[in-house]
Amino acid sequence: GENVEQHPSTLSVQEGDSAVIKCTYSDSASNYFPWYKQELGKGPQLIIDIRSNVGEKKDQRIAVTLNKTAKHFSLHITETQPEDSAVYFCAVMDSNYQLIWGAGTKLIIKP
Amino acid sequence: NAGVMQNPRHLVRRRGQEARLRCSPMKGHSHVYWYRQLPEEGLKFMVYLQKENIIDESGMPKERFSAEFPKEGPSILRIQQVVRGDSAAYFCASSPLTPGPGGEKLFFGSGTQLSVL
């Protein structure tokens, strides 16, 4: 079955700098890759997603890149702000249309 | 349009008791998913239901756990004879569409934190 690995587990960046979180997956047939943001005490919220027929997608300060050959995709957050502090999860939809989740990255924005 | 509503937010049970977790999906959503989250870990799929049907329960333990989504009312995740290892956050998500192309987006509730003493 699909296996998703996410790195790093914790990322601390200075406010205003960029943050990059990476995920790798194992099943080349997977074709949908969302990123979720989870704030303390809340459920995950979808922030951006990408399908396998696209290499990059951008939404204001957030972008996701996908390398299908290497089977990895990354979340990029530019000009980080305090409200970006949260746990970020990548996920991959497998051939059974189930979302397989990474273990999460705790992003800390230092003032 | 209210979001996905889960209650209670916190539930404390002693070993051997029953836990009932409720989830009301977003209006117009007929697909419900239950996930379990342990500290410092990602979400683990438990069960996928449509109204009155369990579609996929491959992630749910065979014993003590059950789920339903009746024609009227919220979806219920029921854990009988709870043990300490059941302590976790349980999240419900809903979707207006069947899983697959165009139906991947899930909307999550704020979760129920179950603590077993």
Side-chain angles (χ1 to χ4, degrees):
Chain A
E2 178 65 89
N3 183 44
V4 180
E5 293 191 358
Q6 182 172 347
H7 300 281
S9 57
T10 305
L11 178 60
S12 184
V13 302
Q14 205 70 38
E15 182 179 348
D17 288 350
S18 296
V20 181
I21 303 170
K22 298 179 179 178
C23 284
T24 61
Y25 60 99
S26 58
D27 187 352
S28 56
S30 296
N31 58 16
Y32 176 70
F33 310 90
W35 285 92
Y36 283 79
K37 175 183 181 182
Q38 186 176 26
E39 295 175 331
L40 198 61
K42 296 183 179 180
Q45 277 197 310
L46 179 69
I47 54 171
I48 197 167
D49 57 8
I50 193 168
R51 298 180 193 284
S52 58
N53 56 348
V54 175
E56 182 174 0
K57 185 176 178 181
K58 193 173 181 180
D59 182 3
Q60 299 183 341
R61 295 187 297 109
I62 295 172
V64 56
T65 58
L66 171 65
N67 184 327
K68 278 209 73 180
T69 304
K71 290 186 279 188
H72 66 71
F73 58 111
S74 300
L75 177 71
H76 305 254
I77 306 174
T78 58
E79 300 171 15
T80 52
Q81 299 169 4
E83 54 264 37
D84 295 329
S85 293
V87 179
Y88 291 81
F89 291 96
C90 67
V92 176
M93 183 160 281
D94 69 10
S95 53
N96 293 319
Y97 300 116
Q98 273 192 27
L99 277 180
I100 310 300
W101 294 71
T105 295
K106 185 176 183 180
L107 178 61
I108 300 166
I109 307 301
K110 296 181 290 185
Chain B
N1 189 5
V4 178
M5 304 300 291
Q6 287 189 249
N7 68 81
R9 288 298 309 274
H10 302 275
L11 182 61
V12 180
R13 286 286 178 266
R14 296 191 181 279
R15 280 179 295 172
Q17 291 184 319
E18 178 178 289
R20 291 171 70 89
L21 289 62
R22 294 175 184 77
C23 168
S24 295
M26 287 181 70
K27 189 176 180 181
H29 288 197
S30 58
H31 304 266
V32 166
Y33 302 76
W34 285 93
Y35 287 86
R36 171 186 159 118
Q37 185 179 35
L38 293 172
E40 312 293 321
E41 293 187 14
L43 281 76
K44 294 289 191 285
F45 168 79
M46 298 182 72
V47 61
Y48 161 47
L49 310 101
Q50 294 179 23
K51 285 281 187 183
E52 301 184 277
N53 287 301
I54 297 174
I55 307 301
D56 182 353
E57 56 182 350
S58 59
M60 202 154 68
K62 294 286 187 284
E63 297 180 352
R64 303 188 299 110
F65 286 71
S66 62
E68 63 177 13
F69 189 17
K71 187 177 180 181
E72 301 291 338
S75 175
I76 307 286
L77 179 67
R78 184 181 174 203
I79 311 172
Q80 295 177 291
Q81 300 172 351
V82 296
V83 301
R84 289 219 172 108
D86 296 332
S87 296
Y90 291 84
F91 288 95
C92 167
S94 74
S95 171
L97 300 171
T98 53
E104 305 93 339
K105 289 183 169 58
L106 300 181
F107 298 82
F108 281 84
S110 294
T112 293
Q113 181 65 51
L114 173 64
S115 299
V116 180
L117 305 179

